[in-house]
Amino acid sequence: MKYISGLSSPVFDRPGQRTLAILGSTGSIGTSALKVVAKNTGDLKVVALAGARNVALLARQAETFRPAYLGVLNEAKAEELRALLPGGYAPRILVGQEGYTAMATLPEADLILAAQVGAAGLVPALAAARAGKVLCLANKEALVLAGDLFRRTCRVSGAVILPVDSEHNALFQAYAGHDGRQACRLILTASGGPFRAKSLQEIQAATPAQALKHPNWSMGAKISIDSATMMNKGLEIIEAVHLYGASLDEVDVVVHPQSIVHSLVEYEDGSQLAHLGMPDMEIPIGYCLGYPHRLHIGLERLDLAKIGTLTFEAPDLLRFPCLGLAREALAAGPSHPVVLNAANEIAVQAFLDGRISFPGIARLIEHMLCKHSLTSMHDLEDILDLDAQTRTRSEEAIGKSEW
Ligand SMILES: NC(=O)c1ccc[n+]([C@@H]2O[C@H](COP(=O)([O-])OP(=O)(O)OC[C@H]3O[C@@H](n4cnc5c(N)ncnc54)[C@H](OP(=O)(O)O)[C@@H]3O)[C@@H](O)[C@H]2O)c1
């Protein structure tokens, strides 16, 4: 197994204060990142913050951290934001995809935290990679859509990807100081989500409120539904393959309801090295922002005696078919993961809007994958075209029948 392509020489070690641009600062990852920054002001300084629609929160963040740049989704949101900013503070407000891309490549930023949700995060994250940045990547969809492109880009630009996703961050930590060529298996842990112990019948009747209630993690709506369907773990298998140069059969999933073991690397001699910690995203975010130094996080310490029992079980593909769909999509070729991701994003939103049922999410994705024939994905335009087409077709399919 090869070691991380973008990270082949993880030598980034800039002493002193680092400057940071956060794309998606108003989301769950973004707000956790700002908590880490607030506890480490000697080490980290925010130079740019981007939200999309939640300008009230963005204005509060801006008032506290005073970055020189702010980003929002469109001109109307920029107007709203201007009206909320305190007198005497006049940051540059950048707008839309172009604005986010400019923020992802700012010469003033040492680190770019890509924490926007879904395919919307792809273009700015790729721009950061093209600019040779240190990219702290939370947006897993970017790698699902364009993993090969990221690998090629990082090789040319020298960009470094530091994985924020807790499982991939755990793998990164379990690789540290070891010969990655001797790794033979990556084991991703999964909480199993809110329906882990529910019957197929109960899962079929699941409501958005039930699906949004994750037992261990506090996250945005899209990833919470992905956790309930276990598509999140499917996307993470694809993410791991791209980040670590593993083959599909070298990546396994084990359900671990306590979310204390965040993932494991198995080496040739049978040793498995795990990363353990409290289930709080501040830990992997802080690890990336301070890398290779560990920042002050100040959370409750993990007390294994108090936890007492850690359990593990095999995932159930019958109740959670999305996990199998993600594997099949990756095995089928470079365009299938694009279809998988776009159909999933449309299906998740439709479920949240009450337009399709919970099992309809997997059914719609499977339907879109079955209708798709393999196409080559040479560049970003190919990916964006297929993403857009799949979204349109998925909406049409939702309109035509009951899901
Ligand atoms: N949450 C977690 O614990 C966690 C863990 C691992 C990985 N991740 C990954 O991290 C990413 C963010 O997840 P999250 O849970 O933080 O999501 P979230 O809470 O929904 O936040 C998403 C962020 O993206 C912004 N955004 C929404 N639509 C956008 C668009 N069209 N263009 C640009 N920005 C847009 C939102 O802005 P507004 O709110 O201002 O509209 C918000 O700042 C996802 O890829 C997720 O899979 C999350």
Side-chain angles (χ1 to χ4, degrees), residues 23-30 50-55 57-58 73 97 100 114-118 120-121 137-142 164-167 217-224 226 232 235-236 281:
L23 305 182
S25 68
T26 49
S28 165
I29 291 287
R53 299 172 187 87
N54 190 350
V55 287
L57 177 56
L58 184 60
L73 194 61
Q97 196 72 282
Y100 297 138
Q116 292 169 325
V117 65
L137 189 68
N139 179 272
K140 63 190 83 185
E141 295 89 348
V164 170
D165 215 350
S166 58
E167 295 76 3
W217 297 94
S218 157
M219 309 183 285
K222 192 260 177 185
I223 185 174
S224 296
D226 285 348
N232 185 45
L235 299 179
E236 287 177 7
M281 287 306 295

Side-chain angles (χ1 to χ4, degrees), residues 112-286:
I112 309 297
L113 174 58
Q116 292 169 325
V117 65
L122 168 62
V123 171
L126 188 63
R130 283 180 171 154
K133 291 291 186 186
V134 174
L135 176 61
C136 303
L137 189 68
N139 179 272
K140 63 190 83 185
E141 295 89 348
L143 281 184
V144 171
L145 291 165
D148 288 336
L149 190 51
F150 270 95
R151 287 212 271 170
R152 277 185 271 134
T153 303
C154 290
R155 214 171 292 141
V156 173
S157 70
V160 167
I161 296 179
L162 298 176
V164 170
D165 215 350
S166 58
E167 295 76 3
H168 306 75
N169 190 273
L171 297 175
F172 182 44
Q173 298 201 40
Y175 264 125
H178 298 274
D179 183 352
R181 289 168 303 183
Q182 291 202 302
C184 55
R185 198 157 63 108
L186 307 179
I187 304 161
L188 302 176
T189 52
S191 69
F195 304 141
R196 180 184 65 85
K198 301 284 182 206
S199 68
L200 191 55
Q201 258 176 340
E202 287 171 306
I203 292 175
Q204 277 171 345
T207 64
Q210 291 166 334
L212 284 168
K213 224 169 165 192
H214 197 281
N216 305 340
W217 297 94
S218 157
M219 309 183 285
K222 192 260 177 185
I223 185 174
S224 296
I225 302 301
D226 285 348
S227 297
T229 60
M230 289 195 75
M231 176 57 89
N232 185 45
K233 215 47 56 181
L235 299 179
E236 287 177 7
I237 292 173
I238 302 174
E239 186 183 8
V241 163
H242 288 304
L243 273 175
Y244 298 103
S247 65
L248 190 50
D249 57 9
E250 289 171 322
V251 185
D252 279 346
V253 171
V254 65
V255 176
H256 166 48
Q258 296 81 19
S259 298
I260 295 297
V261 178
H262 296 301
S263 281
L264 310 90
V265 177
E266 182 175 298
Y267 289 91
E268 270 171 19
D269 62 355
S271 300
Q272 293 190 353
L273 300 193
H275 170 264
L276 279 71
M278 295 298 280
D280 192 306
M281 287 306 295
E282 284 189 51
I283 296 174
I285 292 169

Side-chain angles (χ1 to χ4, degrees), residues 36 64 77 83 111 126 130-131 136 160 184 204 216 218 221 246 250 277 291 296-297 340 363 371 401:
V36 174
T64 306
K77 288 289 164 191
L111 304 172
L126 188 63
R130 283 180 171 154
C136 303
V160 167
C184 55
Q204 277 171 345
N216 305 340
S218 157
E250 289 171 322
Y291 182 80
H296 167 66
I297 302 296
L340 175 94
R363 281 202 291 268
K371 285 184 89 90
S401 38

